[in-house]
Amino acid sequence: MPLFPGTVHSKLPKIGTTIFSTMSKMAAEYNAINLSQGFPDFSCSEELIKLVNEAMLKGNNQYAPMPGLFALRELLAVKTETLYGTKYDPDTEITITAGGTQAIYTAIAATIREDDEVIIFEPAYDCYQPAIEVAGGKTVYLQLKAPDYSINWEEVQKMFNHRTRMIIINTPHNPTGSILSEQDMRQLEKIVKNSDTVIVSDEVYEHIIFDGTVHQSVARFPHLAERSFIISSFGKTFHTTGWKVGYCVAPKNLMAEFRKVHQFLVFSVNTPIQFALAEYLKQKDNYLGLARFYETKRDFFIDLIKKSGFQFKPAAGTYFQLLDYSKLNTDKDTDYAIRLIKESGIASIPISVFYHKPVDNKMLRFCFAKKEETLEKAAGILCKL
Ligand code: GLN
């Protein structure tokens, strides 16, 4: 068939608009409390804003180096080594990106070819599959086991073969708030050993982990680290999701491929913000205090909704709490989420959209990165349902 002007053969025929835009837009339309898309409704640190202003006034307003400001990469190398024990060379193994999503897309674009298989775990964050599809790869879906949303490693072993070019893991996990244990990482290590499978480890919530649990970065496991792109996000860590700055850490050979794509996708990232982050990151409390900060919010929120009709298991990490509404309503989760916006004035994210074939467990995701007053108002609504 010839292509006529205006005729587009979509590369992503089944993809619509991401659920986060859809729900935030609807929340605004109906003036609902927005606990759907994950972002804080409180301000980031004034000091950080001042540092950005200062960097601008000092004249740091032109292109940053393609892989990012060296001073910032140096600090990230120290942070990664101190927390997880693996040394990365800031010169060749760390790149500053325009957020986590760009880093994930770039890692996939740089490594996945036509018909390569990529294993992802459902419910899966929604940016993985489209990136695989654009690259011509084949997504292999495995389900996390409810109610813990844990990985069945025997199933992974069964699906693993010589075409498995990549496995994407995510801990702490969005949308479920579950985390991977050391045992999980050892299992993964066993499966990928002696293969050329690459790992994308989405660790954007690395500092938001609760109840004294330690974050199991792939960087703690040398046989995983040697084949992994680790993705992280300043937006999550410093309450600045709108700045869209994140980073990727990977061994030299992988990072070289990553940068070949990165330089033509974004070239480089916002300069004054990188200067500010390079100062702000020097104070370790700015990220080490985050777990306690969000644990307090989680506990505040779940305490308020204990007496509601929702059932839940407290999130182990991230700033999302899953709530099971099966005792309240029999609607599909997508319908129920829309009803809650229109009729009750509260927005959440239905979990079925994170599956390639909708699995409706009657679960909604609520973001608790909010002021106490917002959480109180939200809980007030949820307790009346
Ligand atoms: N990561 C955010 C969430 O899970 C959404 C980011 C986005 O909207 N792209 O809600």
Side-chain angles (χ1 to χ4, degrees), residues 15 23 48 70 74 78 133 147 177 283 289 351 369:
I15 299 291
M23 296 316 260
L48 185 52
F70 191 71
E74 264 182 321
V78 173
E133 193 173 338
Q283 303 160 49
I351 298 305

Side-chain angles (χ1 to χ4, degrees), residues 338-372:
I338 290 172
R339 241 176 99 168
L340 286 187
I341 296 181
K342 292 187 179 168
E343 293 172 16
S344 305
I346 186 159
S348 61
I349 298 282
I351 298 305
S352 65
V353 303
F354 299 109
Y355 292 87
H356 71 298
K357 288 185 189 139
V359 172
D360 184 7
N361 287 323
K362 312 269 177 248
M363 289 280 196
L364 300 174
R365 189 198 79 172
F366 292 81
C367 173
F368 56 80
K370 306 292 168 191
K371 295 179 209 152
E372 287 197 350

Side-chain angles (χ1 to χ4, degrees), residues 18-21 24 36-39 101 125-127 174-175 204-205 236 241 244 319-320 349 354 365 367:
T18 163
I19 188 72
F20 305 113
S21 302
S24 272
S36 64
Q37 192 178 28
F39 61 87
T101 302
Y125 188 64
D126 70 345
C127 79
N174 184 5
V204 298
Y205 299 98
K236 314 293 185 281
T241 62
K244 294 299 302 173
Y319 44 51
F320 303 115
I349 298 282
F354 299 109
R365 189 198 79 172
C367 173

Side-chain angles (χ1 to χ4, degrees), residues 121 151-157 169 180 184 187-188 191:
F121 299 95
I151 293 178
N152 180 340
W153 292 105
E154 277 171 28
E155 241 173 63
V156 181
Q157 182 70 70
I169 57 171
L180 294 178
D184 286 312
Q187 302 264 19
L188 176 60
I191 293 171

Side-chain angles (χ1 to χ4, degrees), residues 3 6 12-13 74 170-171 197 210 286:
L3 262 182
L12 296 170
E74 264 182 321
N170 173 210
T171 185
T197 300
F210 309 135
N286 287 338

